[in-house]
């Protein structure tokens, strides 16, 4: 895939307040206003903080279909915590019918910029494959 459009969004805090956390690398990350907004994307790469509960809740609150959309999870967690976070969020994505593109569970540099770029590239490639295959659908 030559080009992919990326839209970085943040979840609201659990109390509904606007998160004032600074954006990474000076880029503005707009707030995801409603869980149903995730349905507009061909793929999702979710960045899990903590144990990933907020992402699991957001996916659970989504009322549309994510079937055949591509999904991945990234997290800075390491060791057993990493495995737990990844399975928790990937499980919620699988329950929604998503095509999963998991990052390796045992990565030591899981939170590096390069690792994150590689995950994004891989998800974009899979989205391209799915889009291409669906364009050749025969009746």
């Amino acid at each position: 895939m030559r080009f992919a459009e990326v839209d970085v969004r943040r979840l609201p805090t659990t109390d509904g307040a606007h998160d004032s956390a600074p954006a990474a690398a000076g880029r503005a990350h707009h707030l995801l206003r409603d869980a149903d907004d995730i349905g507009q994307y061909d793929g999702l790469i979710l960045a899990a903080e903590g144990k990933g509960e907020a992402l699991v809740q957001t996916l659970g609150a989504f009322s549309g279909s994510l079937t055949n959309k591509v999904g991945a999870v990234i997290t800075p967690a390491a060791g057993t915590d990493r495995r737990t976070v990844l399975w928790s969020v990937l499980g919620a994505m699988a329950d929604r019918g998503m095509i999963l593109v998991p990052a390796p569970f045992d990565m030591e540099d899981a939170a590096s910029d390069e690792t994150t770029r590689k995950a994004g590239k891989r998800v974009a490639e899979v989205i391209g494959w799915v889009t291409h295959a669906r364009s050749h659908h025969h009746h």
Side-chain angles (χ1 to χ4, degrees):
M1 171 165 263
R2 289 187 80 186
F3 301 100
E5 186 175 329
V6 176
D7 190 10
V8 178
R9 299 289 178 164
R10 291 179 293 112
L11 292 175
T13 58
T14 54
D15 62 3
H18 294 284
D19 185 0
S20 60
R27 288 172 278 185
H29 297 163
H30 300 288
L31 194 64
L32 182 70
R33 299 278 178 214
D34 186 276
D36 287 342
D37 290 346
I38 63 176
Q40 68 183 319
Y41 300 103
D42 295 325
L44 301 171
I45 301 174
L46 303 178
E49 294 180 324
K51 296 195 183 289
E53 299 98 345
L55 296 176
V56 172
Q57 289 174 355
T58 298
L59 290 167
F62 179 69
S63 64
S65 174
L66 294 175
T67 300
N68 295 327
K69 295 189 184 255
V70 179
V73 181
I74 56 175
T75 180
T80 305
D81 289 339
R82 177 176 174 73
R83 189 172 298 276
T84 301
V85 170
L86 291 175
W87 274 126
S88 174
V89 181
L90 287 168
M93 293 172 123
D95 287 345
R96 293 304 204 155
M98 295 185 76
I99 298 167
L100 304 180
V101 181
F105 280 32
D106 60 353
M107 293 183 70
E108 290 182 25
D109 63 344
S112 76
D113 287 345
E114 182 61 26
T115 300
T116 302
R117 274 191 286 282
K118 284 180 182 178
K121 182 178 178 183
R122 186 164 182 233
V123 167
E125 285 177 333
V126 174
I127 290 170
W129 299 337
V130 170
T131 302
H132 179 80
R134 294 181 89 180
S135 73
H136 292 288
H137 179 69
H138 299 284
H139 298 282

